[in-house]
Amino acid sequence: IEDAREESNERSVDMFGRSIQNAVARYQLNNNESISGRFHQTKEDKKILVGEKELTIEYDGNEVVCTLIEIYKDGNIYLGGCRINGVGNINYGTREKKVCSIEQQNESKYSMGDVVTCELSKGTEKFYVLEDTELTSSTINLFPEKNITTTGDAVQSDDAGTMIFANNDIPIACDASTWEDKTNYWIDLESSNASSCNYTVKEKYINNNYFVYDENSNLYPRVNAYKEYLIANGISNVSASLLSSQQLSTFCDEGPFGCESKGAPLWIYSTGYYLGTTYSRMFDPMYEQSVYHMFEQDGYYMDYASIVNGIRPYITIATSNL
């Protein structure tokens, strides 16, 4: 009896899997586009979702609910942990090897601090999940374990080096005395309007921590090179940027030992790195528009930049990479 039940359950999962593959074929035919990724199954097993895309399943067998549904670009699928009428643990198909794997603290979500390990062409690299993320999310934000190199190949390294700016000066995005852009932070002043010291953003500079990092920053080429390295290794939907002071404030307070006193995880302040935000302090014009950075030696991030920090961008990737 037990063997017959197991065979019946396997047939149900097989039928369910084939119905999903048929739904994928219909979607591609009707929408003239491929569909791939990690899907979320609704309570009604007639539909599965990925982001805003929806597949309707034509299946009339026993109720099948799977904890993992992955659809690949070639139309093949993998179903993991399928239960039939609440019973069993059956897989379907062959799962593609992923570049990255994740160690989850909680099976019901991706938790802040979960470790992601990626096997890349120039060595293994690790990342930390930046904030709690639902399993149904199509993307996830990760923070590298180490700074990335400032010369040569853009990879994580214990000997990443620091970013050297023009005249060996601190990176100041805007001169507080003249309201002109500082050449050591920007690649091309003519094209840096989105983050320049023109009148339209002057009030933002004075009154707020203003996020100035963009493709015109001298930090951008290294961040972009690292993004391209990840893409070349088969990681999809990658974007990369610098942390803002607002993002970091969820972990660390200003002032001496601000990360330690707030109970931040060590990995957030284990290296020194630049943020994408300027520091605005009207009573100290010398550092008014310098760039925030994390200064790991004392466990806090300072209110003005120095010349001894590196680059540690956070990345956003598709959860289907994990």
Side-chain angles (χ1 to χ4, degrees):
I1 295 176
E2 193 64 33
D3 289 343
R5 182 183 294 113
E6 184 174 344
E7 290 179 5
S8 175
N9 289 343
E10 290 176 351
R11 284 196 300 271
S12 294
V13 173
D14 184 74
M15 291 172 57
F16 185 63
R18 292 178 185 277
S19 69
I20 294 178
Q21 288 182 299
N22 291 336
V24 170
R26 286 196 304 273
Y27 180 94
Q28 293 174 335
L29 180 64
N30 294 335
N31 295 277
N32 195 31
E33 66 173 4
S34 64
I35 183 170
S36 62
R38 180 172 296 175
F39 282 68
H40 169 62
Q41 186 175 353
T42 62
K43 290 184 179 179
E44 311 82 26
D45 64 356
K46 304 300 181 184
K47 294 181 180 180
I48 57 176
L49 309 172
V50 60
E52 297 180 352
K53 296 180 180 179
E54 179 179 279
L55 294 178
T56 300
I57 311 302
E58 295 181 356
Y59 170 75
D60 295 321
N62 294 323
E63 180 188 66
V64 178
V65 177
C66 303
T67 58
L68 180 65
I69 299 177
E70 292 184 341
I71 298 176
Y72 308 122
K73 292 181 179 179
D74 61 4
N76 287 322
I77 70 169
Y78 174 78
L79 309 179
C82 298
R83 298 172 65 85
I84 300 83
N85 295 324
V87 178
N89 183 20
I90 299 175
N91 300 330
Y92 173 89
T94 302
R95 192 177 189 191
E96 285 188 354
K97 177 175 173 56
K98 302 291 182 179
V99 175
C100 302
S101 60
I102 185 169
E103 299 175 27
Q104 290 178 242
Q105 304 169 58
N106 187 329
E107 292 184 355
S108 64
K109 65 178 180 179
Y110 302 118
S111 302
M112 187 268 287
D114 281 351
V115 177
V116 173
T117 303
C118 299
E119 302 298 335
L120 307 178
S121 59
K122 297 185 183 302
T124 301
E125 295 193 356
K126 292 186 177 182
F127 302 82
Y128 299 96
V129 175
L130 263 177
E131 63 272 315
D132 288 356
T133 305
E134 296 296 326
L135 294 179
T136 55
S137 174
S138 59
T139 61
I140 190 169
N141 293 327
L142 306 176
F143 197 52
E145 178 188 31
K146 305 171 184 177
N147 287 4
I148 63 171
T149 51
T150 54
T151 59
D153 295 325
V155 296
Q156 290 186 45
S157 174
D158 290 320
D159 302 313
T162 57
M163 185 66 186
I164 305 300
F165 292 88
N167 302 319
N168 205 33
D169 197 6
I170 63 174
I172 299 179
C174 177
D175 189 312
S177 60
T178 63
W179 288 105
E180 295 178 353
D181 290 311
K182 292 284 286 190
T183 56
N184 72 336
Y185 186 78
W186 301 111
I187 296 173
D188 180 3
L189 296 183
E190 294 299 321
S191 62
S192 64
N193 290 331
S195 304
S196 68
C197 293
N198 60 47
Y199 179 78
T200 58
V201 299
K202 184 174 179 180
E203 290 303 314
K204 293 181 181 180
Y205 271 112
I206 292 175
N207 296 318
N208 301 290
N209 294 329
Y210 187 46
F211 191 82
V212 297
Y213 171 80
D214 63 16
E215 67 275 10
N216 299 302
S217 167
N218 275 312
L219 297 167
Y220 175 81
R222 296 305 297 175
V223 174
N224 190 61
Y226 187 58
K227 181 190 79 169
E228 294 300 323
Y229 171 61
L230 298 178
I231 292 173
N233 275 269
I235 301 177
S236 63
N237 294 20
V238 183
S239 63
S241 186
L242 301 182
L243 286 178
S244 69
S245 58
Q246 289 84 355
Q247 284 176 295
L248 197 58
S249 67
T250 63
F251 297 96
C252 310
D253 289 323
E254 264 186 74
F257 308 104
C259 298
E260 291 179 347
S261 63
K262 201 169 183 178
L266 177 61
W267 50 263
I268 201 68
Y269 61 97
S270 59
T271 68
Y273 52 90
Y274 289 108
L275 305 184
T277 310
T278 56
Y279 184 76
S280 302
R281 184 163 61 182
M282 295 183 66
F283 56 82
D284 190 354
M286 178 180 179
Y287 296 120
E288 191 166 3
Q289 305 310 331
S290 62
V291 182
Y292 255 130
H293 72 281
M294 168 63 73
F295 190 56
E296 88 283 5
Q297 284 92 331
D298 291 325
Y300 69 99
Y301 67 100
M302 301 177 69
D303 58 9
Y304 59 88
S306 73
I307 60 173
V308 296
N309 286 279
I311 305 175
R312 195 177 176 187
Y314 79 93
I315 63 168
T316 302
I317 67 172
T319 53
S320 57
N321 290 292
L322 304 177

